[in-house]
Amino acid sequence: MPFEITVPRLGWSMEEGTFVRWLKKHGELVNAGDALFELEGEKAAQDIEAVDSGLLVIPSNAPQPGTIVAVGAVIGHLVAEGEAAPAVVTGASASVTSSIPKTSAPANPSPAADTSTLEEPAAAPSVRRLAREMGVKLASLEGSGPAGRITANDVRTTGSRPSTVAANHVLSSIASPRARRVAKELGIDWKGVKGTGRDGRVRERDVRTSQSQPRPASTSTPTTISSRRRTIANRMIASRERTAPVTLTTRIDATNLVGLRLQFKQAGEGSPIPSYTDLIIKLVALALRKHPTLATRDEGGQWIVPASADDIYIGMAVDTEDGLVVPVVSRAATLGLFDLAKQTLSLIEKARTGKISAADMQGGVFTITNLGSFGIDAFTPIINLPETAVLGLGRIRREPVVIDDQIVARDQMSLSLTFDHRIVDGAPAARFLQTVSQAIENPSAWLLRGDI
């Protein structure tokens, strides 16, 4: 009996994905567990394994690379020798019946298989999708990434087009106070008004005259929204709609944290040297052992708390060219600090080279996001569903503070905790933030107690 090959669900909210390519040829023998095709779901591409064995049937109307496919859609079949595959309909295309002849040699591939098995330039799935959206052929590009890999910047540089500005559009840099006031009242940008005064000065009459003149046609063009950007947008909206978010912010002394990392750097022991984010991931994981409610996951209306310290997986927000992704550090509470640093470094590298998998982003119970490197002091992070809380890290800044009636220079930073008030009340959340603050202010004692 033919076995249907369907599009699986790669994430809790996934309803559709992007078909990337077949990894097997039409007529090829496939064993259970073999990588069958590549599918891009919520923020990551993943090789989909066969769950049965047989000869692969790829119909002529199978999805092409880059096609959006719905979860559960049938895109092919696995059959026994000589067995005919039923018709497969994709979208509005006509159904086609494909079969494998009873022979040991693979049959000639269908047109769909020919297209999908052609060798493509080295590029991440998200980069290939961007090229399709911008109408850029990857084969015509020379990659600037490692080993000639094509990056998103290569595609954008090739696909960009200079904008045009109307020849009669004159920007004035001078306007009279009356002209500015009238422009504000009328809702007119006086900088776009052609001045008739001395040296092109914009006067009141120029503003009022421009109001009656037809405005030049807009030169703006619509922005192409990638499927990853849509996924991020949908998840952000879902987070706001399904949670009762409250954000608590506190200012802490990070002098000892800075000193500890400096000691790691000076000692030169261990590779890689733990970053500030690595240290805080470890400290937050230890704090969650004392406050497990903040690590609750909302699983279909059931609130699940980690059963043990080994179940504390911490997500870290990573900024990439194609949008935000949140890889997950496994066993953060029990993992050694240097092993944790190696894991985060590997996850960040995979995220920024487009090699992150869905498995690398699953199981998180708490997320940390750091905007300190951008000079941000405090912000309001958004909860990463189905988690309960997220911690935002601000920049570390040397500031004067009063200690024992003396003004001294100390390293200060802000922490912003957003939590779901449906699950956690304000006081328990505040106590957790207190614990995290104490851990960061005295990291050595906490890390030694955590068996780093």
Side-chain angles (χ1 to χ4, degrees):
M1 180 178 179
F3 182 84
E4 292 182 342
I5 301 171
T6 60
V7 177
R9 191 184 303 276
L10 301 183
W12 68 273
S13 63
M14 176 178 168
E15 297 299 334
E16 61 182 22
T18 303
F19 181 83
V20 179
R21 58 173 175 161
W22 288 101
L23 301 176
K24 296 288 186 179
K25 296 180 181 179
H26 177 81
E28 187 174 351
L29 177 62
V30 176
N31 295 314
D34 288 351
L36 190 55
F37 63 95
E38 188 175 355
L39 178 69
E40 185 168 357
E42 295 181 340
K43 305 183 181 181
Q46 183 172 338
D47 291 349
I48 306 303
E49 296 180 353
V51 296
D52 204 341
S53 301
L55 299 173
L56 174 60
V57 175
I58 304 176
S60 60
N61 58 353
Q64 299 293 313
T67 302
I68 302 299
V69 289
V71 171
V74 179
I75 60 174
H77 287 87
L78 294 175
V79 301
E81 286 191 6
E83 184 179 28
V88 176
V89 179
T90 56
S93 60
S95 63
V96 176
T97 301
S98 301
S99 63
I100 301 295
K102 192 172 184 179
T103 174
S104 58
N108 291 329
S110 65
D114 286 338
T115 303
S116 62
T117 55
L118 291 175
E119 184 177 354
E120 297 180 348
S126 55
V127 174
R128 293 198 294 270
R129 185 181 64 249
L130 176 64
R132 291 192 298 271
E133 293 170 349
M134 298 187 68
V136 176
K137 294 184 178 180
L138 291 180
S140 65
L141 303 183
E142 183 175 348
S144 62
R149 187 180 184 87
I150 296 174
T151 66
N153 188 56
D154 298 332
V155 175
R156 292 192 183 99
T157 301
T158 304
S160 62
R161 294 291 184 271
S163 60
T164 58
V165 180
N168 60 350
H169 183 66
V170 180
L171 293 180
S172 304
S173 58
I174 306 174
S176 67
R178 184 184 292 272
R180 293 171 188 255
R181 184 174 66 254
V182 172
K184 184 177 181 180
E185 293 172 352
L186 298 177
I188 296 175
D189 183 4
W190 64 265
K191 294 180 181 179
V193 177
K194 184 176 182 180
T196 59
R198 184 176 181 180
D199 296 327
R201 185 182 181 87
V202 177
R203 299 184 295 179
E204 178 185 356
R205 71 173 66 176
D206 300 326
V207 175
R208 296 190 182 279
T209 301
S210 69
Q211 185 184 23
S212 59
Q213 295 176 347
R215 296 186 178 183
S218 173
T219 58
S220 61
T221 56
T223 301
T224 301
I225 303 176
S226 67
S227 61
R228 176 172 293 185
R229 189 72 255 169
R230 286 193 181 92
T231 298
I232 295 172
N234 291 336
R235 289 177 65 87
M236 296 300 101
I237 293 172
S239 178
R240 285 295 186 182
E241 291 178 345
R242 293 177 49 184
T243 65
V246 176
T247 300
L248 305 179
T249 301
T250 189
R251 193 81 167 157
I252 66 169
D253 190 328
T255 303
N256 290 336
L257 183 74
V258 173
L260 177 61
R261 185 166 189 274
L262 182 61
Q263 291 177 33
F264 280 126
K265 293 176 67 176
Q266 290 176 342
E269 295 181 3
S271 179
I273 296 173
S275 66
Y276 288 121
T277 301
D278 295 332
L279 292 167
I280 294 176
I281 286 175
K282 180 66 179 181
L283 294 170
V284 167
L286 295 175
L288 285 171
R289 296 174 66 174
K290 297 184 64 176
H291 304 271
T293 307
L294 273 295
T296 301
R297 284 174 62 91
D298 184 353
E299 300 284 4
Q302 289 187 323
W303 295 345
I304 310 298
V305 179
S308 67
D310 284 336
D311 298 320
I312 296 178
Y313 285 38
I314 304 294
M316 58 175 179
V318 177
D319 176 47
T320 72
E321 289 184 343
D322 300 307
L324 182 71
V325 296
V326 186
V328 174
V329 180
S330 61
R331 300 185 300 107
T334 58
L335 197 65
L337 182 58
F338 290 109
D339 289 334
L340 186 150
K342 291 177 183 178
Q343 188 177 155
T344 60
L345 190 66
S346 173
L347 289 170
I348 292 171
E349 176 67 17
K350 289 198 288 185
R352 290 180 174 164
T353 56
K355 297 178 181 178
I356 197 77
S357 69
D360 292 324
M361 298 188 289
Q362 293 177 348
V365 299
F366 190 94
T367 294
I368 292 176
T369 175
N370 188 349
L371 292 180
S373 60
F374 298 98
I376 302 301
D377 290 317
F379 57 102
T380 305
I382 298 178
I383 297 170
N384 183 28
L385 287 178
E387 298 168 12
T388 294
V390 55
L391 181 67
L393 309 179
R395 65 173 167 171
I396 299 175
R397 186 177 181 181
R398 195 79 167 165
E399 296 178 355
V401 296
V402 178
I403 299 179
D404 296 330
D405 295 330
Q406 299 291 324
I407 298 178
V408 296
R410 304 286 290 182
D411 293 300
Q412 304 289 298
M413 74 178 296
S414 292
L415 302 178
S416 303
L417 174 71
T418 299
F419 64 96
D420 187 350
H421 211 318
R422 298 176 311 141
I423 302 174
V424 182
D425 289 331
R431 284 193 287 269
F432 168 73
L433 189 56
Q434 253 185 348
T435 300
V436 171
S437 300
Q438 294 167 3
I440 295 176
E441 290 180 340
N442 301 281
S444 297
W446 276 76
L447 291 173
L448 288 173
R449 187 166 57 188
D451 298 324
I452 67 169

